[in-house]
Amino acid sequence: MSSEASRKILVTGAAGYLGSVIVTHLLQQGYRVRAVDNFMYHQNSLLPHFINPRFECLPGDVRDRELMARAVEGVDYIVNLAALVGAPLCRQREKEAWEINYEAALMLESLRAPGQGYIFPNTTSGYGTQSPVSGLCTEDTPQEPISVYGKTKVKAEQELLTRPDVVTFRFTTVFGLSPRLRLDLMPNDFMWRALRQGALIVFESHFQRSFIHITDIARCVAFTIENFEKMKGRCYNIGHERMNKTKRDLAEKISELTGCYLHYNDLREDPDKRNYFIAFDRIRAAGFEPRVDWDEGLRALYNGLKTLHWTNPFANVEYY
Ligand SMILES: NC(=O)c1ccc[n+]([C@@H]2O[C@H](COP(=O)([O-])OP(=O)(O)OC[C@H]3O[C@@H](n4cnc5c(N)ncnc54)[C@H](O)[C@@H]3O)[C@@H](O)[C@H]2O)c1
């Protein structure tokens, strides 16, 4: 294993919403980063890093075995973010979703040398549709994903956790700004609609969800690399109970910031059936806690999104 300062991290999906912020954070922490991405959204989010001698990029597809064999050479850790992300996209491109989110994730695992740590993000959407009797979902709560997206991620996680030197995350819904901005995530989407349309229509406002700010995801990845030996072999819910909120909580905070009109329509169904709160004891016991709180994170999102003037490509998509 390399010395701390020179550890090399392979990040796939590096130009994505999370990847762009994670790569920046890892470079700031002194790591060397090898990025792989097929730039399917024509992202330019990694361009500032090419001047950095600790950054290198292998453009291409994670399904390309020869490329990925080169990509794993000499790295200490693999952070495998590349995926088709979200229920609508995976429904439209189901075959590719299985190839990228599941098969390529396992292929990459098989290509690594002994001792190379593997970090894989799953989603809490696998927890199914109802709160457990105890009230909070833990890592032991059965996963019953309802979307192709959730199914690909859960199946990959289950198989990866049978292999050595693997850590998986179950991220709650991430929000905040990134150079590859996603506006299909609930807080980002609500804020954008509130700013652009001056109104928010919220279905099933009592639904319970858990959130985390994107900068805390980047901190969590670096923390896991630093603490890999004691964390390996397990999955971790990533978030904090103080960010367990209802859709109504979110809408009201956004209305307070933007002054938008709020309308609750509980006669319409939310196609995303997630409705549960989550417990984070395990990651807290490992020593990690998110830092960005609800008010701070949403205010930053508000300040950032109101500076943008382009059109929301997701404006006609009704997720909520
Ligand atoms: N954002 C969230 O709330 C959230 C929550 C839970 C889990 N995750 C997981 O985190 C990871 C990153 O998600 P994100 O929000 O950054 O999404 P994203 O779509 O912004 O990032 C995915 C990246 O993967 C790249 N990619 C897609 N197919 C590829 C391929 N075949 N070869 C190479 N690169 C490819 C894309 O170009 C993109 O840069 C995903 O694995 C996702 O399942 C995200």
Side-chain angles (χ1 to χ4, degrees), residues 12-19 36-41 43 60-63 80-85 100 120-124 149 153 170-174 180 182 185:
T12 75
Y17 173 70
L18 298 185
V36 170
D37 205 293
N38 66 354
F39 300 92
M40 65 180 277
Y41 301 108
Q43 310 93 299
D61 196 303
V62 288
R63 290 169 290 182
N80 184 24
L81 305 173
L84 294 189
V85 180
I100 298 165
F120 179 80
N122 187 8
T123 154
T124 48
Y149 171 59
K153 300 296 290 190
R170 295 182 186 161
F171 291 150
T172 51
T173 301
V174 186
R180 137 75 181 148
R182 282 185 60 193
L185 296 158

